[in-house]
Amino acid sequence: MHVTHLSLADFRSYARVEVPLDPGVTAFVGANGQGKTNLVEAVGYLATLGSHRVSSDAPLVRMGADRAVIRAAVTQGERSQLIELELNPGKANRARINRSSQVRPRDVLGIVRTVLFAPEDLALVKGDPGERRRFLDELITARSPRMAGVRSDYERVLKQRNTLLKSAAMARRHGGRSMDLSTLDVWDQHLGRVGAELLAQRLDLIATLQPLADKAYGDVAPGGGPVTLEYRSSVGAGVEPARTRDALYEQLIAALAEVRKQEIERGVTLVGPHRDDLLLGLRGMPAKGYASHGESWSYALALRLASYDLLRGEGNEPVLVLDDVFAELDARRRERLAELVAPGEQVLVTAAVDDDVPGVLAGRRYAVSAGEVERV
């Protein structure tokens, strides 16, 4: 699978830009702040309906514009599709596939698949659990686009349940009458059902990803491993997550019952996938806090390369995006990474200067300056 043409209107710094793309390597070269990352960010948005740089759509719309449009032609085998996303901050986004307007934005998921590595990925190792949960859930959705609906359902149920708990907590604090919490049992059932589906997918992903991540770390930093991936569930200290959806459901329901008093006191849901973490181990120690800066970079890179190998092995090779990463790597890691990704069907690279792009990644080059993109 590869993108053959990218068109942007009022996206970030671009009033309008048209960029033809080929299979193989394409590098966007330009000084910081000139708009090169905006191009690959748009490709990533098509794959995830989100940005790797910001948490909302508003910054993606060019200043002074009401909306932004990302349009791309995509080829997979003998099939070509045209997809379009219209970003409307504060309103519902819109989507079109082959010019049909009868689709939802999440129907676009799965047409473009990307694995994107960027400086922000250091947070996968050093950052908060939310960074690692997002990594897992975006990869789950790339494998199975229907999971976008499951994730949306979980967020909706969690929001409703938290609203009920918050109201109950405020009533207690202000000496009012106790609220009728009979509906909390209903929300528990919903949270358990959807949460079990999400948990089952995460656990399956980690089991599949573990050997790939260990291999990828060895490829990037020979002799530096091994690495381990361990899921830390919020169902209770020392409790091993169940493996089947039915068992996970029962485990979640039991855990919610156990902490209900605390939840009512605090006004928030304390158990569920939104409270879990992925523990990253390196040579038997937690990577967070123990890994050096270079080891942390190698670990983050290994997670992305493992994701790439996983998706490629499942029959639809993703676009690999390397956003300003070579400047962050030492010469050895830079060359190892370049050798590993060079055979990819489509590799998009951004760099501040030509020298940051290893020679093995020869291909199409674009110069990016002040919002202008020119073939060189």
Side-chain angles (χ1 to χ4, degrees), residues 47 110 113-114 137-145 151 311 314:
R113 298 207 296 181
T114 64
D137 291 345
E138 287 186 351
L139 186 50
I140 284 168
T141 305
R143 296 180 79 191
S144 177
R151 291 168 61 190
L311 295 176
E314 292 179 344

Side-chain angles (χ1 to χ4, degrees), residues 5-132:
H5 194 93
L6 177 67
S7 175
L8 304 179
D10 292 324
F11 182 86
R12 288 285 196 181
S13 57
Y14 294 102
R16 186 169 297 276
V17 68
E18 305 287 337
V19 185
L21 294 169
D22 291 328
V25 178
T26 298
F28 300 99
V29 180
N32 292 336
Q34 300 304 302
K36 59 186 184 295
T37 291
N38 299 346
L39 299 171
V40 296
E41 181 182 27
V43 176
Y45 193 100
L46 293 170
T48 64
L49 301 184
S51 164
H52 69 288
R53 302 160 74 193
V54 293
S55 59
S56 68
D57 288 347
L60 305 181
V61 178
R62 189 172 65 91
M63 186 174 295
D66 295 327
R67 61 176 186 166
V69 175
I70 306 171
R71 186 181 297 109
V74 183
T75 295
Q76 182 179 358
E78 299 299 320
R79 185 184 186 191
S80 295
Q81 295 187 82
L82 180 66
I83 57 177
E84 179 181 305
L85 286 173
E86 179 183 293
L87 281 56
N88 298 292
K91 303 177 183 178
N93 292 342
R94 298 179 180 177
R96 301 175 72 188
I97 301 175
N98 295 330
R99 304 197 183 281
S100 171
S101 59
Q102 304 302 312
V103 298
R104 302 164 299 177
R106 73 185 189 201
D107 292 332
V108 169
L109 293 171
I111 298 176
V112 175
R113 298 207 296 181
T114 64
V115 171
L116 187 149
F117 184 63
E120 291 83 357
D121 279 342
L122 197 59
L124 289 176
V125 180
K126 295 188 172 185
D128 295 332
E131 300 287 347
R132 292 178 286 279

Side-chain angles (χ1 to χ4, degrees), residues 115-165:
V115 171
L116 187 149
F117 184 63
E120 291 83 357
D121 279 342
L122 197 59
L124 289 176
V125 180
K126 295 188 172 185
D128 295 332
E131 300 287 347
R132 292 178 286 279
R133 290 194 296 267
R134 178 182 175 184
F135 164 73
L136 292 175
D137 291 345
E138 287 186 351
L139 186 50
I140 284 168
T141 305
R143 296 180 79 191
S144 177
R146 73 172 185 84
M147 288 302 298
V150 174
R151 291 168 61 190
S152 179
D153 288 346
Y154 184 82
E155 291 168 3
R156 176 183 57 80
V157 170
L158 180 63
K159 182 178 180 179
Q160 294 285 353
R161 192 174 186 277
N162 280 340
T163 297
L164 180 59
L165 288 170

